[in-house]
Amino acid sequence: MVKRIVLDLDARYLEQNREFLRKLKKKYVLEPGDAATAPMQNTVVLTDKECLVRQWKTYAAIGIEHHNTSINSVPFILESLEDLTDYDLRLAYARKFGLSCVIAANERFTLRETDFEDLPELRRIYDNPGIIKYIPGLDDIEVEKDKLISYIRYMYGYYGYGLWVMQDNITGVLIGRAGIEHREVEGELCCELAYLVREEYQRKGYGYQAARMVLEFARQNGMRQIITYIHENNIPSMKLSEKLGFTRWKESTDGMKKYIICKKEL
């Protein structure tokens, strides 16, 4: 969890963004760029230096490209300080230290990126015939590890979203999955709301809450439309889609299977 932000930024630029910094200070400890003793743990550095100062090389960092500055020394770049979000901070920190990034949380569960330790439990969830009645199952663990390596790099890493896991805050049990997948519909690449909840947690509101988290993430990250792709016989998912405000859009067939595609403007 990010608790501290080091501001390695031009003093005049900081003065120009005084009001934004005042709001940021309500949630994080802010320290000046010369705070060389700031611990790496729970810290993100914001910098406008073209080359990351040596003392910050081992820290999570985000570059701020203001006033035509050009930064090539950090993987995360924002055009202005006011573009900074809590998710940006969590993501930069998670990527630097190889952690799964938390997407959202409430009092019941946390929605976060999938990591390799989740695979055995996910395999047990997918082994339930009721779960894979309308969706594909998982391969063996070693194959899924190879898939996850690619998924983390190209889906999480490039797009910043994907299919995440839902984890119970008290027991640590994986409740299911929810997130944003890509699906081609009549030649158009669409963002799809995807979700599943393990059998013993169904009909308790977890799917609805997770879907709301995903939709809020999509809205905050500039998505304008999202779809659901549901087997025609999957009545619970159709009802959930309707409850979330999706409207029927198209139909699709895959062999003998028929799917209902719904969409929602964000």
Side-chain angles (χ1 to χ4, degrees):
M1 178 185 295
V2 178
K3 298 180 180 178
R4 183 183 299 101
I5 298 174
V6 173
L7 301 168
D8 188 25
L9 299 165
D10 178 79
R12 288 173 296 178
Y13 184 67
L14 289 174
E15 179 63 25
Q16 293 169 9
N17 289 274
R18 183 170 50 185
E19 182 60 25
F20 180 80
L21 292 172
R22 186 184 65 80
K23 296 176 182 178
L24 204 62
K25 195 173 183 179
K26 292 180 180 180
K27 296 187 287 184
Y28 302 97
V29 175
L30 303 185
E31 296 190 8
D34 58 2
T37 59
M40 286 190 299
Q41 186 177 15
N42 303 326
T43 300
V44 173
V45 177
L46 303 183
T47 182
D48 54 8
K49 309 299 187 294
E50 183 175 355
C51 294
L52 194 64
V53 177
R54 182 180 301 175
Q55 71 193 57
W56 305 129
K57 291 288 187 181
T58 56
Y59 286 70
I62 297 175
I64 308 295
E65 288 191 333
H66 64 90
H67 297 160
N68 297 317
T69 58
S70 179
I71 300 173
N72 301 309
S73 56
V74 294
F76 292 91
I77 305 293
L78 298 176
E79 292 184 355
S80 73
L81 186 58
E82 291 188 337
D83 291 335
L84 182 71
T85 66
D86 294 336
Y87 177 65
D88 292 324
L89 294 166
R90 294 197 304 269
L91 187 61
Y93 188 83
R95 291 291 179 271
K96 177 66 177 180
F97 297 107
L99 306 173
S100 59
C101 183
V102 171
I103 307 305
N106 60 21
E107 68 283 357
R108 304 173 80 189
F109 66 90
T110 296
L111 186 65
R112 61 166 175 80
E113 293 178 340
T114 308
D115 62 37
F116 294 99
E117 295 181 355
D118 297 324
L119 293 178
E121 186 66 15
L122 285 174
R123 181 64 187 271
R124 284 189 283 273
I125 293 174
Y126 278 80
D127 279 345
N128 187 320
I131 292 293
I132 60 172
K133 186 176 182 180
Y134 301 116
I135 62 174
L138 296 186
D139 291 313
D140 64 63
I141 296 297
E142 292 306 315
V143 173
E144 288 298 330
K145 284 182 180 178
D146 290 339
K147 288 182 178 180
L148 186 55
I149 291 172
S150 179
Y151 198 83
I152 290 172
R153 180 176 180 181
Y154 295 107
M155 196 69 183
Y156 290 163
Y158 184 78
Y159 292 102
Y161 55 80
L163 193 56
W164 303 304
V165 295
M166 305 156 56
Q167 185 170 32
D168 189 291
N169 290 337
I170 297 175
T171 66
V173 170
L174 294 189
I175 298 168
R177 307 178 88 179
I180 302 167
E181 292 276 67
H182 288 162
R183 185 177 293 277
E184 187 173 308
V185 178
E186 297 180 353
E188 177 184 357
L189 186 63
C190 298
C191 289
E192 176 193 356
L193 169 64
Y195 48 82
L196 70 88
V197 178
R198 68 190 305 161
E199 191 170 36
E200 56 267 41
Y201 281 85
Q202 292 176 6
R203 294 177 292 279
K204 296 180 180 180
Y206 286 99
Y208 178 74
Q209 290 180 337
R212 289 289 301 271
M213 289 178 179
V214 174
L215 292 174
E216 180 60 19
F217 175 93
R219 186 189 65 78
Q220 290 182 356
N221 285 273
M223 297 181 191
R224 295 291 174 260
Q225 180 179 279
I226 195 163
I227 70 166
T228 54
Y229 189 88
I230 303 171
H231 191 285
E232 63 175 342
N233 295 333
N234 191 347
I235 304 303
S237 283
M238 285 299 304
K239 289 183 177 179
L240 177 57
S241 179
E242 293 172 1
K243 185 177 180 180
L244 291 165
F246 285 79
T247 57
R248 189 174 293 228
W249 182 34
K250 297 177 183 289
E251 295 182 358
S252 176
T253 56
D254 180 7
M256 299 295 291
K257 299 178 181 179
K258 180 180 176 181
Y259 293 88
I260 307 301
I261 307 172
C262 301
K263 68 176 179 178
K264 179 179 175 68
E265 305 297 329
L266 300 175

